[in-house]
């Protein structure tokens, strides 16, 4: 498999974590988003939306949008599971992932922040914009983890929710968000820092890292 991504992209980061947790081998094709490489003709032929990640599978499929990629990985490589076996548990994990994937990350990705800057915001304003949505979402996640977590976001082993959480914590620090109010999230992050799948997925460990 070939993962087309960018070292600091949260969506690429969460996809790397899932691939690593599944124990799957993959090559990386890196795209410098700052230079607009995702808008090249070659990449647009692969992914017409011009976003990362895209995953080329061994069967010749091209998959885009990280939620779809992660669900495909779960369906085609079910062990170890990243979703609970029961329908209620799966719904809870998907909801936790969606807090980040739908309500936080889209509002602080590169193209949205570029638009915020074009409206006149300086870096302080950009940080305030991103931080607002991160804090709202993390407040909800802290409560959900209190209900459902047992070392990880849901239960005692990593799930899709953790694949989403760890990159968003990385992003939160880039925007100078104070994380002291989220001890459960930080406990999960500390656990992930000792887990090989998460270590290998870290932005600084990628071939295109600055």
């Amino acid at each position: 498999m070939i993962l087309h991504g960018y070292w600091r992209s949260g969506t690429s980061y969460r996809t790397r974590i899932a691939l690593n947790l599944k124990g799957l081998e993959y090559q990386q094709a890196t795209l410098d988003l700052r230079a607009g490489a995702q808008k090249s003709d070659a990449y647009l032929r692969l992914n017409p939306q011009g976003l990362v990640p895209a995953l080329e599978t061994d069967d010749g499929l091209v998959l885009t949008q990280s939620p779809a990629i992660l669900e495909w990985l779960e369906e085609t490589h079910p062990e170890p599971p990243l979703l609970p076996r029961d329908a209620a548990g799966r719904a809870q994990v998907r909801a936790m992932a969606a807090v980040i994937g739908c309500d936080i990350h889209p509002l602080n990705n590169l193209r949205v922040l570029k638009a915020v800057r074009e409206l006149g915001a300086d870096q302080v304003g950009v940080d305030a914009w991103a931080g607002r949505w991160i804090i709202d979402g993390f407040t909800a996640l802290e409560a959900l983890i209190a209900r459902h977590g047992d070392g990880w976001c849901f239960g005692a082993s990593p799930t899709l929710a953790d694949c989403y959480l760890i990159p968003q914590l990385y992003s939160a620090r880039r925007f100078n968000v104070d994380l002291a109010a989220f001890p459960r999230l930080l406990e999960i992050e500390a656990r992930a820092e000792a887990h090989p799948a998460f270590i290998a997925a870290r932005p600084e460990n990628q071939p295109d890292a600055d």
Side-chain angles (χ1 to χ4, degrees):
M1 290 189 282
I2 302 173
L3 177 64
H4 298 260
Y6 175 60
W7 67 283
R8 207 163 58 182
S9 155
T11 52
S12 300
Y13 191 175
R14 70 177 68 138
T15 304
R16 294 193 301 265
I17 293 170
L19 286 162
N20 295 344
L21 285 169
K22 295 291 187 182
L24 298 173
E25 295 185 3
Y26 59 97
Q27 302 174 35
Q28 292 200 62
T30 61
L31 299 157
D32 189 341
L33 304 188
R34 297 164 298 185
Q38 73 279 18
K39 300 301 183 182
S40 70
D41 290 342
Y43 187 66
L44 288 173
R45 286 193 292 272
L46 192 72
N47 179 2
Q49 197 176 14
L51 299 175
V52 295
L55 183 69
E56 291 187 77
T57 75
D58 294 335
D59 298 328
L61 295 174
V62 177
L63 304 174
T64 63
Q65 289 288 346
S66 62
I69 294 171
L70 269 59
E71 291 279 355
W72 178 85
L73 288 171
E74 183 70 0
E75 292 176 8
T76 57
H77 300 85
E79 298 297 333
L82 299 181
L83 286 170
R85 302 297 189 187
D86 63 296
R90 291 196 297 274
Q92 293 290 353
V93 169
R94 287 178 171 127
M96 295 167 88
V99 169
I100 294 171
C102 299
D103 297 329
I104 300 178
H105 179 266
L107 293 167
N108 60 56
N109 68 19
L110 185 63
R111 59 180 182 161
V112 169
L113 297 182
K114 181 180 179 182
V116 171
R117 289 187 177 94
E118 289 172 350
L119 292 172
D122 59 10
Q123 190 58 50
V124 172
V126 168
D127 287 355
W129 165 268
R132 171 182 176 177
W133 310 114
I134 291 169
I135 289 170
D136 282 355
F138 279 4
T139 299
L141 281 172
E142 186 77 9
L144 290 169
I145 291 167
R147 295 179 193 175
H148 303 294
D150 182 17
W152 295 93
C153 286
F154 187 97
S157 60
T159 66
L160 290 183
D162 303 285
C163 296
Y164 280 74
L165 174 62
I166 298 306
Q168 193 60 61
L169 285 165
Y170 173 85
S171 181
R173 290 192 172 87
R174 290 180 56 216
F175 298 117
N176 300 304
V177 175
D178 184 354
L179 299 173
F182 310 112
R184 291 183 177 86
L185 275 62
L186 294 176
E187 288 173 5
I188 292 168
E189 183 182 46
R191 189 165 284 106
E193 287 175 348
H195 192 299
F198 290 86
I199 293 170
R202 287 177 185 166
E204 63 268 24
N205 292 333
Q206 305 318 303
D208 57 330
D210 285 350

